Amino acid sequence: MMPVYFDHIRSSDGLVTTHDATRAGFVDLALEKSKRAWPLLNDARNLLAAASKANSPAELMGIKHIHGKLLTAAGLSDKALNYFSRKDKEQALQMLVENILEPAGEKFAEELVFRFLLVRGDTLGGSMRNIIGKLGQKKFDLALLNALKETGVDSCHRLYPGNKQKWEQINICDADVDLHPFRGLSWRTCGKSRVLVYNLTVPLVKKNVDMCLLNLSHDNFGKEQRRDPALYIAAGELKGGIDPAGADEHWKTARTSLERIRTAFIEKNHPIHTFFVGAAIEKEMAREIWGQLQNRTLSHAANLTDEKQIASVSRWLCGL
């Protein structure tokens, strides 16, 4: 019997991310970053307009509605401000005026906006790392929903993101269902109930796992059930970063995580399937993944930039 991955991968070369896919991935990220930068640029324009009304840096202290942006320009993040008292904030503003804005002379307003953008831009860069993961998850979500449509389901529920474990029944044929982010999916088909959850802390391995498939219904999903190794069917790692420079490091992290998962479940006499999905897969990395597929260390693998491969993994998960 041919391995399940053979319907879309016949060699390690089939896993390698193409030049065109890498370029397209960078374009998607650039567009997403530009879209998210618009509010930041608008804030900067408003700050410049307000600051230009002041005759000196000291007068900025009297413009109350820009104090938040002034603190940002002083190098303080929103998170850092939670640890600052009112007096601390006043001292930070005074240091901004004396050490940065006054030495800039007549260009103090431009210097202020430059400092503001420097800090906010760094924050945007940090948030983009989370966005990359979410974009990768969304692509996988769409493939999973399409696979469920093909399979036919009796019911399907979506788990809302956040701390509250709230499930909502959805119609997978609804064209807009993919527009809403979710933390997990639950479906019932052919008498089987399944739950797929993203970013689940698995008690047995004491680590966060990107994707876990469990043998239970959504209304039975809870902390106690997560502790039962017998309910786990599969676990996978999803790496959505497209930059080839980070590909090897992402695979090493995923490989270590998957090894830890396999060992933990084997020790409980309950081996489970493991799989890997990545957007940036280089040749050497692809050869190692292919080797793990052939010796059945990995049950499945796919390149996130290849729709056929993602569809194959999704159909496989829906059939487990």
Side-chain angles (χ1 to χ4, degrees):
M1 181 178 179
M2 287 290 186
V4 66
Y5 56 83
F6 238 63
D7 65 342
H8 68 273
I9 309 171
R10 294 301 177 94
S11 70
S12 63
D13 290 339
L15 284 165
V16 177
T17 305
T18 66
H19 175 79
D20 288 345
T22 300
R23 181 180 60 194
F26 275 124
V27 170
D28 288 342
L29 286 179
L31 292 173
E32 187 68 25
K33 195 167 187 178
S34 295
K35 181 175 71 175
R36 292 176 183 270
W38 272 112
L40 166 62
L41 295 174
N42 190 52
D43 282 346
R45 293 189 189 99
N46 292 337
L47 177 60
L48 180 60
S52 297
K53 295 177 181 179
N55 295 314
S56 68
E59 287 187 16
L60 294 172
M61 301 282 282
I63 308 177
K64 299 295 183 181
H65 73 274
I66 67 168
H67 274 198
K69 295 182 178 64
L70 292 177
L71 288 168
T72 296
L76 300 176
S77 66
D78 293 340
K79 184 177 181 180
L81 288 175
N82 293 327
Y83 299 91
F84 277 62
S85 65
R86 182 177 178 178
K87 185 178 180 180
D88 293 333
K89 293 176 183 178
E90 290 175 353
Q91 289 178 344
L93 291 178
Q94 195 64 43
M95 290 176 64
L96 170 69
V97 168
E98 294 177 358
N99 299 332
I100 296 174
L101 300 183
E102 287 182 350
E106 294 180 354
K107 299 290 185 179
F108 71 88
E110 289 87 342
E111 182 68 21
L112 172 63
V113 174
F114 171 75
R115 297 282 177 166
F116 172 79
L117 286 171
L118 189 65
V119 177
R120 279 292 188 227
D122 187 57
T123 301
L124 177 62
S127 67
M128 281 303 297
R129 288 188 284 274
N130 293 326
I131 292 165
I132 289 170
K134 290 178 180 178
L135 290 176
Q137 180 185 321
K138 184 175 182 180
K139 184 175 289 188
F140 194 82
D141 289 342
L142 293 175
L144 190 62
L145 288 169
N146 286 331
L148 288 172
K149 290 177 188 177
E150 294 174 7
T151 304
V153 293
D154 300 324
S155 64
C156 187
H157 290 74
R158 173 181 60 201
L159 178 64
Y160 277 104
N163 295 325
K164 294 183 179 180
Q165 301 296 325
K166 184 178 179 182
W167 292 87
E168 175 194 62
Q169 186 163 2
I170 60 173
N171 177 7
I172 59 174
C173 293
D174 184 351
D176 292 331
V177 73
D178 59 286
L179 299 179
H180 305 284
F182 47 81
R183 191 181 165 225
L185 278 179
S186 172
W187 63 88
R188 183 172 176 79
T189 182
C190 300
K192 300 184 299 184
S193 294
R194 296 288 184 265
V195 168
L196 179 78
V197 185
Y198 292 103
N199 300 316
L200 181 68
T201 299
V202 180
L204 184 60
V205 297
K206 300 177 182 178
K207 293 288 184 179
N208 183 278
V209 179
D210 287 350
M211 295 181 281
C212 289
L213 181 68
L214 293 90
N215 176 24
L216 77 169
S217 62
H218 70 279
D219 49 6
N220 289 324
F221 177 72
K223 291 183 179 179
E224 289 301 318
Q225 287 72 24
R226 296 178 203 176
R227 294 190 179 95
D228 186 356
L231 293 177
Y232 288 79
I233 300 172
E237 288 290 303
L238 175 63
K239 302 301 178 186
I242 194 64
D243 191 347
D248 188 55
E249 196 61 36
H250 286 159
W251 164 239
K252 287 179 180 177
T253 301
R255 182 184 61 197
T256 300
S257 176
L258 293 172
E259 287 174 356
R260 184 187 302 115
I261 292 166
R262 282 189 292 267
T263 299
F265 279 91
I266 288 173
E267 288 177 353
K268 292 294 183 180
N269 295 316
H270 182 68
I272 64 172
H273 297 284
T274 56
F275 60 102
F276 175 77
V277 178
I281 301 181
E282 297 294 285
K283 286 187 177 181
E284 188 59 37
M285 174 181 168
R287 281 193 284 267
E288 189 172 344
I289 295 170
W290 177 251
Q292 289 201 6
L293 286 170
Q294 289 189 303
N295 64 26
R296 300 187 179 182
T297 299
L298 278 175
S299 301
H300 217 317
N303 190 306
L304 189 60
T305 67
D306 190 309
E307 292 184 3
K308 291 182 179 179
Q309 294 187 25
I310 299 303
S312 176
V313 171
S314 299
R315 288 192 298 267
W316 169 72
L317 280 171
C318 292
L320 290 176

